[in-house]
Structure formats: C-alpha cells, structure tokens
Amino acid sequence: MEDDPDELFPGDRGTLDPEVRRVLVHVLQRRFLSADSRAEWALLLEHQQLIESRMHDLYVRLVVDLGRGVAYKQQVRSDEFEVPILLKDAPYNRTETLVLVHLRTVFQRESAAGEPAPRIDIEDIEQTVLSYLTDADGSTARQQKAIRAALDRLDREGVIDEETLGRYRISPLVEVVLSAEKLAELRAWLREQAAQQASRAATAQKTTAQTTTAQTTTAQKEAAL
C-alpha cells in the first residue's frame, strides 16, 4: 500500500491539521497560553471545540479566559468514578509563594490605580520578600539566589516578563495563579508568621536579658566574696 500523502510521520493516524496539533501540544506542554502569542491564540479560538474534545479524551479540561487573554488546563477529578491523573501538580515553594504574593499585591494596587501594565523592579521584590525570610532560610546571599530562581520560574511560566535587566512586567496571569480569595488567605498566613517571628524574637531577647542579669548578679556576688 502506498503511504498516505497526508501523514506527517510513518503510521500517522491523526486527523488534526499540523498547526492545530502544535497548539494542542503547546496547551498540554505549557502552564499557560497567552493571547500575546497571536497566531496560536487565534488557532486556539478557531478550533477550540476540537481541541477541547481531544483534551477531554485525556480527562483534562481547557479553560479559556477571554477577559485576561489566557488559556490553561485543569485536571478533571471526580468522586463518582475513577479518573486517571495525567497532570501532576508542581506546587510553589515558600520563596516562590512569597514572590507571587508580592507580585499579586502590586498588580492589584496598580490596576486599581488605572495602570494597564504594572511593572516592578527586582530591588522592590527582594526588599519585601527578604523581610519575611529568616535565618532558617539561609544566608542573605542564599535567599537572594532563591528569589532570583523564583523569578526565573515565573518568567518561564509567563506570570512576569523581564523587559529589561531586573525590571519585570506583571502579567494578568498572576490573577489566575492567585485568586483574590487565595491572596487573602496567604496574607493572613504571612501576618501570622510575622507575629510568631516577632514573638520568638521578643522571647529570645527577654531570655538573653535575664541570662545577662543573672550572670551580672553572680559576678557581683563573687566579687563581694
């Protein structure tokens, strides 16, 4: 039998056009697909139902947010029947979460002030995030390295875009990653963490003062003898 001239590779049984296949792969491959990728975005909207059908076969849901100009995927889960899990969660670590909270806060504030494309400098990010880190997170140099690694990940995911060295444009994707409800929860968590840290510091300071006083009293008694 002669090879099918429409085959893209030997044994190809796919029915989607090559361009649509690439969009499908990109949606599955990336965390987000932004409207900034105009060609891919146009193909996604044009063939949305077909791409959704293919994804549903894999128990994956396609979410297209036209308002924010972003598309992303969600793992379908059900209590009624067993669903094979294709997508694995890649949770953000502590430093990445702190960076996200600050980015989301700045985006919310600047957007409310009418800024269509909020931007932020790395110095601002480091100053805020470092204030929440402790000695348990390592030296200052190690903490700064972790912050830059977090920014690199968020840049790859499209949450931010480094326009010039050390200056980032915050994407509306940050609202998808951190909803207003989740932001409120994390802010409460940060306030609790800060209060606990302050309490520990006060206790340590009080203990040090008591120890110093006791040592001074002992020394005075010994001197008197």
Side-chain angles (χ1 to χ4, degrees):
M1 295 179 62
E2 295 183 359
D3 292 337
D4 188 336
D6 293 331
E7 287 186 352
L8 298 180
F9 52 87
D12 180 17
R13 293 297 178 263
T15 59
L16 298 181
D17 292 337
E19 295 79 6
V20 182
R21 294 191 196 193
R22 279 193 286 271
V23 173
L24 173 59
V25 171
H26 287 168
V27 171
L28 292 172
Q29 188 180 56
R30 304 172 187 172
R31 185 157 188 168
F32 305 102
L33 179 62
S34 171
D36 292 338
S37 302
R38 296 184 180 180
E40 291 181 333
W41 184 256
L43 282 168
L44 174 66
L45 296 184
E46 182 180 354
H47 301 279
Q48 182 175 340
Q49 290 186 349
L50 192 55
I51 291 174
E52 281 181 329
S53 174
R54 294 293 191 275
M55 294 178 66
H56 290 172
D57 285 339
L58 302 174
Y59 295 102
V60 176
R61 182 180 294 109
L62 174 66
V63 180
V64 179
D65 189 331
L66 295 176
R68 295 187 177 94
V70 59
Y72 54 97
K73 56 191 177 296
Q74 292 178 335
Q75 177 67 58
V76 173
R77 300 178 186 276
S78 175
D79 296 329
E80 300 178 358
F81 58 92
E82 183 179 356
V83 176
I85 304 301
L86 176 67
L87 304 181
K88 295 182 179 180
D89 293 331
Y92 293 108
N93 61 32
R94 172 179 167 80
T95 303
E96 291 166 345
T97 301
L98 290 171
V99 172
L100 268 173
V101 169
H102 185 51
L103 292 174
R104 179 69 168 86
T105 301
V106 172
F107 185 87
Q108 186 179 57
R109 183 185 66 231
E110 296 297 314
S111 297
E115 174 57 54
R119 290 170 171 79
I120 191 170
D121 294 319
I122 191 170
E123 290 80 10
D124 183 350
I125 299 171
E126 286 187 342
Q127 181 179 2
T128 300
V129 175
L130 286 173
S131 68
Y132 289 105
L133 299 178
T134 66
D135 293 340
D137 297 299
S139 65
T140 300
R142 182 175 179 179
Q143 293 172 7
Q144 289 176 322
K145 184 177 180 180
I147 292 172
R148 293 174 187 273
L151 291 171
D152 286 343
R153 175 181 177 179
L154 297 176
D155 194 353
R156 290 193 304 271
E157 293 181 351
V159 177
I160 54 176
D161 177 34
E162 188 172 16
E163 296 181 324
T164 58
L165 185 62
R167 184 165 178 78
Y168 301 88
R169 178 177 63 84
I170 308 175
S171 165
L173 287 176
V174 74
E175 293 185 313
V176 176
V177 176
L178 280 187
S179 64
E181 294 78 9
K182 189 64 176 179
L183 178 62
E185 291 177 9
L186 287 172
R187 281 175 173 170
W189 171 71
L190 288 174
R191 285 194 295 268
E192 181 180 350
Q193 292 289 309
Q196 291 177 357
Q197 183 177 343
S199 177
R200 287 193 295 267
T203 300
Q205 185 176 8
K206 182 178 180 180
T207 301
T208 301
Q210 290 174 342
T211 301
T212 302
T213 301
Q215 291 174 342
T216 301
T217 301
T218 301
Q220 289 174 343
K221 288 180 179 180
E222 293 176 347
L225 293 176

